[in-house]
Amino acid sequence: PSVLATIDVSGDTAGISGPLLNQVGSVVGPVAGSMASPMAFAFDRMSVFTANTANDSVTQLPLNPSSAGFSAPTTFSTFLLPCNSAPIGISFQYFGSTYTQDYVVNSGTGTAVCTIPPPCPVGSLGVILQGTTDQLAATTTCVGVKPVFAWIYFNQSKVYVLDYIENQVYVVNASSPYLVLRKIPVGSGPIKAAQSNNGRYVYVLNSGDGSISIIDGSVDAVVNTVSLANPGTVALPIDIAQDTNFNDTSAN
C-alpha cells in the first residue's frame, strides 16, 4: 500500500507516514525519468490531497501544523472519481495567493468494467472545491487523449492542461461549468509547465522535440519557441522549474 511520508528538512529525518490507497500518482511520467504531480496542498496547508491511480479516487489527509505531521494518520477522506478516471496528478496554486480550487488530472486509462459509463471517453480534469467541507465538483471536463499535467494561471481564471499525444494545451475556464475555452498547439510531447515571474507567460516543456513553447496567457497563444536539444544527439529534457525567487519580477 502507498503512504505519504513527512520529512523534517532541518535535520533530514523522516517523520510520520499517513496511509493512502494503492498506487498513488504515476511511477514515471509519459517520458522515462519524468514524474507526474500526484500531491497538492489545500490553501490553508491543513490538508494534502493525493491522486490514487488504481482506485479512481482522491485521498485527503489532515495535517498537524504544530508537529508538521498528520493530525490523525489513520483517518482520511476519500473522494470517488468517475469509473476508469485513473488520476495521475493534482495541481494547486504554488505561489502563495489565496485559492479555493485544486485540479485533478485524470488519464482515463483505467480498465475496470464500469456500471456507470464515465463522462469522458479518455482524459478529463476534475475540480476539488475547498471550503467548510472539501468536495469534488460535479462537473468533469473532457481534455484530450492523454492529459499529463495541469498548470493554474496566476490569476486563477483558467487552467492549462497539457495533452502528450495531441501536442496541444487545453485552456479550461476555472469557473463552473469549467468549459474548454480553446486549444493551443505546442511542440511534440508536452509534459510539464512553469510560469514567468510576473505570471503572464507559461513555459511548456516538450519532451518529443526538446523545445519550450512560450504561451502568452493574455492572448492564449504561443509567442515563441525555444529549442533545447537536437533529438537523437542530446538527451531530451524531462522536467522544468521556475527560479525559487519567484517574487523577483526583474527577470525570468
Side-chain angles (χ1 to χ4, degrees):
S2 298
V3 297
L4 187 65
T6 62
I7 297 175
D8 182 348
V9 296
S10 64
D12 289 339
T13 56
I16 300 172
S17 294
L20 303 173
L21 298 180
N22 290 333
Q23 194 178 340
V24 175
S26 176
V27 177
V28 295
V31 175
S34 68
M35 292 292 293
S37 301
M39 187 185 77
F41 287 99
F43 165 68
D44 59 9
R45 299 302 191 261
M46 293 299 291
S47 63
V48 62
F49 303 98
T50 63
N52 303 311
T53 307
N55 299 85
D56 293 334
S57 65
V58 172
T59 292
Q60 181 182 13
L61 274 170
L63 301 176
N64 187 332
S66 62
S67 66
F70 303 102
S71 59
T74 59
T75 302
F76 54 86
S77 301
T78 298
F79 307 139
L80 295 178
L81 299 169
C83 180
N84 286 336
S85 291
I88 59 170
I90 305 183
S91 187
F92 68 106
Q93 184 59 266
Y94 288 83
F95 299 112
S97 57
T98 301
Y99 62 93
T100 59
Q101 297 179 168
D102 288 359
Y103 298 88
V104 185
V105 180
N106 301 315
S107 65
T109 57
T111 58
V113 178
C114 301
T115 304
I116 300 176
C120 300
V122 194
S124 63
L125 184 72
V127 182
I128 298 175
L129 303 176
Q130 298 180 27
T132 304
T133 302
D134 295 344
Q135 59 184 318
L136 282 165
T139 303
T140 300
T141 303
C142 301
V143 282
V145 176
K146 191 173 183 178
V148 294
F149 188 79
W151 186 267
I152 305 170
Y153 196 51
F154 81 101
N155 64 9
Q156 302 174 49
S157 63
K158 52 197 171 185
V159 183
Y160 295 106
V161 184
L162 281 55
D163 188 284
Y164 178 74
I165 296 296
E166 293 184 341
N167 302 327
Q168 59 186 0
V169 174
Y170 282 70
V171 184
V172 179
N173 184 17
S175 300
S176 180
Y178 311 109
L179 300 176
V180 174
L181 301 175
R182 61 190 58 86
K183 304 173 187 177
I184 307 173
V186 291
S188 174
I191 56 172
K192 284 288 187 70
Q195 72 178 30
S196 62
N197 288 328
N198 63 5
R200 174 176 173 178
Y201 297 97
V202 175
Y203 299 91
V204 177
L205 179 65
N206 304 305
S207 65
D209 58 14
S211 68
I212 292 178
S213 299
I214 304 176
I215 296 175
D216 183 344
S218 67
V219 294
D220 283 337
V222 173
V223 294
N224 197 7
T225 300
V226 179
S227 179
L228 300 176
N230 181 9
T233 61
V234 179
L236 292 174
I238 59 173
D239 206 350
I240 186 171
Q242 182 178 344
D243 190 320
T244 54
N245 186 20
F246 58 84
N247 288 321
D248 177 9
T249 59
S250 61
N252 295 333

